[in-house]
């Protein structure tokens, strides 16, 4: 048997029990490799209950800087007997299984094509600790110590992380270092080391930062000028509001009066939260709510009010598996249709698609600007994979000249000078009317905000021509939005090709790696990464320039494919669906296999050129 040999390029997965304290230890492992200058991309896969069910933590180690899931596991740290068989099956041939050998496991439970590494973790922990909770927590640190020797991870980097975490708490620092050394000493004495998978110091991180998308989105809201947030807790979006509060307490307190310059309300439900945000937006505040798919379902009536009354609001949707409760702690891109057309009647909403924490920061700030400029709801469509997992990304930027853009807000001086004010009047053909803020002028510029139809001067009207005027103006405004939202990014193939691929959001990291693999196989594709809806003209141009375009997304019903075909009035057969929806983030291998298979099928059986690729 030939075991896998790789330096700074492998995937290790930890199989644990939720509530055992393993997540902190596993994160420590990932960060220690990062401190060695080697990019990592960890993903915490956890159940929706508090404790007792299986949980996994997958770490991608990639000197090349790939942050998407690769597919396949090179080493499994099997700490959960409940999932042993499934975990064993997931390891690639030639890989490694690391397990607690305190209790013997029958030989039949192991695969012959794997390298088996046993360490009596429970025995070591029970020998050195008497408190049951300490035994469990320190067992996690013991296996980190053992792995540090097997994989050649620098123990000094782990110790530095301990020192940062337990600064001023010397007893905790010393006890964790001791547990780490218990694991290291066992391997140094009893096992061959290091194994074929190794980590070596490198300089591949550069100035990148390591953060999660939810924290980044929250900071983007602070920089983007949000002063009001109303929310109701829901996985996986709650940490956006929690991070926003943390940043506001740091940056939004008046230094002289110590008064808060922000308002954050944890509402009694999603309806209350979106209602507060609509009220704040109407009053001139930059306001947002953060939620997930079930929350959006409950908010749709208020979203429709904001659309028709033209009130700026921002909604950060951290998508998860659905429908209904679905898979609350798994990731998907399955809210596209529900958000694009949220509410009854004819509605269309702006959506932004960030691909990493950097764009979560940037798009959240941009969404607040767009909401004001367009006087409409704007969705930031992130998801659990981006939102709750830490990722390397470019440092956030905010230039000193960057200013907030409130759009068409009429001032008291303009009203006093006799400027004509019609709240819902299109004065220049872009579909966006002028608005006033409460208290702008004592006698001029007032209007009645309503969810019913009205004429251009906000006067109640059920006349057909007034309704048509409003609805057609709203469509003109939506077309205007296509020119000012973040534009798509083109990634041309090395050589001219008739084939393209469209992707967006959290599919992007895996797609970046897939491009490299396909290019190496001379299967180059032009790529277009979508960053917003409505679709700019460049999207239709890209599709028309190719004989066939793959659309990669993470949902069952090909929702982006549907949006493209519907909104751009395309022949859907020109678009090939590549769908992944098991709740785990899409992998580069899945994308490559799907595209390769389809292209091979086209060559062998041209009549089947448009078959669907699904998970």
């Amino acid at each position: 048997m030939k075991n896998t040999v790789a330096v700074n390029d492998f995937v290790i997965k930890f199989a644990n029990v939720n509530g055992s304290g393993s997540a902190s230890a596993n994160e420590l492992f990932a960060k220690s490799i990062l401190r060695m200058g080697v990019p990592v991309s960890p993903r915490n896969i956890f159940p929706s209950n508090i404790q007792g069910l299986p949980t996994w933590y997958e770490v991608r180690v990639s000197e090349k800087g790939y942050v998407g899931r690769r597919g396949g596991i090179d080493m499994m740290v099997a700490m959960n007997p409940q999932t042993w068989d499934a975990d064993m099956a997931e390891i690639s041939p030639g890989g490694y299984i690391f397990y607690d050998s305190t209790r013997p496991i029958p030989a039949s439970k192991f695969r012959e094509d794997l390298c088996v590494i046993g360490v009596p973790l429970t025995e070591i922990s029970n020998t050195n600790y008497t408190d049951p909770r300490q035994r469990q927590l320190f067992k996690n640190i013991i296996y980190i110590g053992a792995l540090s020797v097997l994989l050649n991870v620098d123990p000094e980097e782990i110790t530095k992380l301990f020192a940062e975490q337990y600064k001023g708490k010397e007893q905790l620092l010393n006890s964790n270092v001791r547990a780490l050394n218990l694991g290291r000493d066992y391997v140094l004495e009893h096992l061959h080391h290091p194994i074929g998978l190794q980590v070596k110091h490198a300089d591949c991180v550069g100035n990148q930062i390591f953060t999660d998308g939810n924290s980044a989105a929250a900071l983007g809201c602070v920089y983007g000028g949000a002063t009001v947030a109303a929310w109701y807790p829901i996985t996986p979006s709650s940490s956006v509001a929690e991070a926003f509060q943390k940043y506001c307490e740091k940056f939004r307190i008046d230094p002289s009066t110590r008064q808060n310059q922000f308002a954050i309300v944890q509402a009694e439900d999603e309806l209350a939260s979106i209602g507060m945000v609509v009220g704040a937006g109407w009053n001139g505040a930059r306001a947002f709510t953060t939620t997930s798919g079930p929350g959006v379902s409950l908010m749709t009536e208020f979203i429709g009010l904001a659309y028709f009354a033209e009130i700026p609001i921002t909604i950060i949707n951290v998508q998860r598996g659905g429908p209904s409760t679905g898979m609350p702690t798994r990731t998907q891109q399955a809210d596209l249709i529900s958000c694009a057309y949220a509410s009854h009647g004819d509605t269309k909403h702006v959506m932004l698609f960030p691909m990493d924490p950097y764009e979560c920061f940037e798009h959240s700030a941009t969404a607040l600007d767009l909401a004001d400029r367009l006087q409409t709801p704007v969705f930031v469509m992130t998801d659990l994979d981006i939102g709750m997992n830490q990722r390397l990304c470019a440092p956030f930027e905010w230039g000193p000249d960057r200013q907030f853009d409130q759009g068409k807000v009429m001032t008291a001086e303009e009203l006093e000078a006799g400027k004509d004010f019609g709240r819902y009047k299109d004065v220049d053909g872009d579909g966006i009317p002028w608005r006033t803020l409460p208290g702008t002028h004592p006698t001029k510029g007032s209007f009645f905000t309503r969810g019913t139809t009205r004429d251009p001067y906000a006067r109640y009207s059920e006349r057909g021509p007034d309704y048509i005027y409003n609805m057609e103006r709203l469509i003109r405004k939506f077309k205007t939005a296509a020119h000012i939202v973040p534009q798509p990014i083109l990634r041309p193939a090395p050589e001219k090709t008739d084939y393209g691929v469209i992707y967006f959001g959290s599919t992007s990291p895996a797609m970046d790696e897939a491009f490299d693999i396909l290019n190496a196989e001379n299967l180059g594709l032009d790529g277009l990464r979508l960053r917003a809806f409505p679709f700019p003209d460049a999207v239709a141009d890209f599709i028309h320039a190719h004989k066939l375009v793959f659309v990669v997304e993470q949902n069952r019903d090909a929702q982006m494919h549907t949006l493209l075909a519907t909104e751009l009035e395309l022949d859907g057969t020109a678009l090939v669906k590549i769908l992944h929806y098991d709740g785990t983030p899409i992998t580069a291998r899945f994308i490559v296999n799907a595209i390769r298979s389809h292209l091979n099928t086209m060559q062998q059986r041209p009549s089947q050129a448009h078959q669907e690729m699904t998970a």
Side-chain angles (χ1 to χ4, degrees):
M1 176 189 66
K2 185 177 180 181
N3 291 118
T4 303
V5 175
V7 176
N8 294 349
D9 184 16
F10 58 87
V11 178
I12 180 170
K13 190 170 185 178
F14 298 81
N16 300 98
V17 176
N18 200 36
S20 64
S22 59
S24 298
N26 299 339
E27 183 179 319
L28 176 79
F29 171 82
K31 286 185 174 180
S32 64
I33 297 175
L34 185 64
R35 292 291 182 92
M36 293 177 66
V38 182
V40 297
S41 179
R43 284 174 169 83
N44 192 15
I45 306 166
F46 58 98
S48 56
N49 72 336
I50 296 175
Q51 64 180 32
L53 288 182
T55 183
W56 294 269
Y57 192 89
E58 184 176 305
V59 181
R60 174 83 185 272
V61 180
S62 172
E63 190 169 302
K64 292 182 179 179
Y66 294 131
V67 297
R69 285 186 72 223
R70 184 197 69 186
I73 303 299
D74 299 309
M75 184 178 197
M76 181 70 72
V77 180
M79 296 291 109
N80 187 356
Q82 291 176 283
T83 60
W84 177 275
D85 291 339
D87 295 334
M88 181 76 65
E90 198 173 351
I91 309 169
S92 298
Y96 304 80
I97 181 161
F98 175 99
Y99 76 106
D100 183 355
S101 61
T102 301
R103 293 183 178 179
I105 295 178
S108 61
K109 300 293 283 184
F110 295 94
R111 281 168 45 190
E112 293 183 357
D113 61 345
L114 301 179
C115 177
V116 177
I117 304 170
V119 176
L121 300 168
T122 301
E123 180 184 327
I124 295 171
S125 184
N126 290 351
T127 300
N128 288 274
Y129 304 100
T130 56
D131 179 81
R133 184 59 177 164
Q134 281 191 336
R135 284 177 168 176
Q136 176 57 57
L137 294 176
F138 285 125
K139 182 168 75 171
N140 299 327
I141 304 301
I142 292 168
Y143 73 62
I144 296 300
L147 290 171
S148 71
V149 177
L150 292 168
L151 301 174
N152 205 30
V153 178
D154 190 342
E156 290 300 317
E157 300 297 348
I158 303 176
T159 302
K160 288 177 186 176
L161 288 165
F162 281 143
E164 294 170 12
Q165 184 176 357
Y166 300 114
K167 187 176 182 179
K169 302 175 182 178
E170 298 302 321
Q171 185 176 354
L172 288 173
L173 169 61
N174 294 334
S175 58
N176 276 274
V177 172
R178 176 175 177 246
L180 181 77
N181 286 328
L182 287 172
R184 287 184 58 80
D185 291 344
Y186 181 87
V187 175
L188 289 169
E189 278 187 48
H190 299 93
L191 298 178
H192 171 74
H193 60 275
I195 60 172
L197 305 178
Q198 293 186 41
V199 183
K200 291 187 178 180
H201 281 276
D203 187 16
C204 301
V205 175
N207 69 339
Q208 295 181 95
I209 61 174
F210 194 58
T211 188
D212 63 272
N214 282 359
S215 296
L219 191 60
C221 288
V222 172
Y223 273 79
T227 56
V228 176
W231 64 295
Y232 183 76
I234 183 171
T235 301
S237 72
S238 294
S239 58
V240 177
E242 293 162 355
F244 181 71
Q245 180 165 346
K246 178 185 72 175
Y247 292 131
C248 283
E249 289 171 349
K250 183 175 182 179
F251 299 120
R252 284 280 172 79
I253 295 179
D254 187 281
S256 56
T257 66
R258 305 307 300 167
Q259 293 293 308
N260 290 347
Q261 297 178 321
F262 62 91
I264 301 173
V265 181
Q266 181 177 321
E268 62 266 33
D269 53 36
E270 284 88 353
L271 280 79
S273 64
I274 189 68
M276 294 173 188
V277 169
V278 170
W282 173 85
N283 205 43
R286 290 196 159 189
F288 77 95
T289 188
T290 179
T291 189
S292 190
V296 172
S297 297
L298 291 169
M299 294 176 179
T300 52
E301 187 171 358
F302 266 121
I303 293 170
L305 171 63
Y307 173 79
F308 201 54
E310 298 180 68
I311 298 170
I313 62 172
T314 295
I315 302 165
I316 298 175
N317 180 4
V318 189
Q319 298 168 89
R320 70 188 207 183
S324 186
T325 305
M327 294 192 293
T329 58
R330 299 292 186 269
T331 197
Q332 277 192 356
Q333 297 172 306
D335 296 346
L336 304 180
I337 299 294
S338 63
C339 290
Y341 306 121
S343 185
H344 55 279
D346 294 323
T347 55
K348 290 186 179 182
H349 303 298
V350 175
M351 299 187 295
L352 308 184
F353 308 121
M355 66 162 280
D356 64 3
Y358 176 86
E359 286 196 345
C360 284
F361 171 83
E362 183 63 35
H363 285 8
S364 294
T366 298
L368 293 160
D369 254 359
L370 290 171
D372 271 353
R373 288 181 65 183
L374 296 166
Q375 302 171 32
T376 197
V378 176
F379 287 88
V380 180
M381 303 293 288
T382 177
D383 58 41
L384 184 146
D385 184 36
I386 303 172
M388 295 193 71
N389 291 312
Q390 292 181 303
R391 184 115 7 122
L392 281 170
C393 68
F396 304 153
E397 298 176 350
W398 195 268
D401 298 329
R402 185 164 174 172
Q403 302 292 322
F404 301 149
D405 187 348
Q406 287 190 299
K408 295 178 179 178
V409 179
M410 197 168 288
T411 65
E413 291 75 19
E414 290 169 321
L415 290 167
E416 191 64 35
K419 189 170 183 177
D420 180 40
F421 175 66
R423 174 63 185 96
Y424 299 107
K425 184 178 180 181
D426 187 358
V427 297
D428 53 14
D430 66 359
I432 306 171
W434 286 84
R435 63 176 172 139
T436 58
L437 302 179
T440 296
H441 192 283
T443 60
K444 299 178 180 180
S446 61
F447 63 93
F448 189 33
T449 304
R450 62 174 79 248
T452 48
T453 192
R454 63 271 162 168
D455 70 9
Y457 290 88
R459 297 173 299 210
Y460 176 77
S461 171
E462 292 188 15
R463 293 180 64 250
D466 286 336
Y467 178 76
I468 291 172
Y469 174 85
N470 252 324
M471 296 302 287
E472 291 185 347
R473 181 181 56 77
L474 288 169
I475 280 296
R476 285 198 298 277
K477 179 165 72 170
F478 196 66
K479 291 179 179 178
T480 296
H483 298 288
I484 62 175
V485 297
Q487 299 297 292
I489 294 178
L490 176 66
R491 176 169 176 160
E495 298 179 2
K496 183 174 175 56
T497 176
D498 290 330
Y499 305 121
V501 58
I502 287 176
Y503 58 105
F504 63 99
S506 61
T507 63
S508 304
M511 194 67 236
D512 286 342
E513 183 177 3
F515 279 124
D516 290 346
I517 298 171
L518 291 167
N519 288 340
E521 298 179 4
N522 294 317
L523 294 174
L525 304 173
D526 292 328
L528 190 72
R529 179 166 71 87
L530 303 180
R531 297 201 295 162
F533 173 80
F535 303 122
D537 293 341
V539 179
D541 294 342
F542 179 85
I543 295 171
H544 291 313
H546 295 88
K547 290 181 180 179
L548 182 145
V549 175
F550 297 95
V551 182
V552 181
E553 52 187 311
Q554 299 186 97
N555 58 70
R556 184 196 69 181
D557 291 344
Q559 295 185 29
M560 181 60 77
H561 179 280
T562 298
L563 281 176
L564 289 165
T566 301
E567 294 294 326
L568 301 179
E569 299 181 349
L570 299 171
D571 175 5
T573 59
L575 302 174
V576 178
K577 307 168 188 175
I578 296 182
L579 308 176
H580 185 277
Y581 49 89
D582 67 359
T584 64
I586 196 169
T587 67
R589 290 180 179 179
F590 178 89
I591 295 171
V592 168
N593 289 338
I595 291 175
R596 185 194 292 129
S597 174
H598 189 87
L599 293 177
N600 289 339
T601 299
M602 286 180 59
Q603 293 174 354
Q604 296 168 9
R605 296 192 299 273
S607 63
Q608 296 185 10
H610 304 298
Q611 73 180 55
E612 179 178 320
M613 297 294 158
T614 62

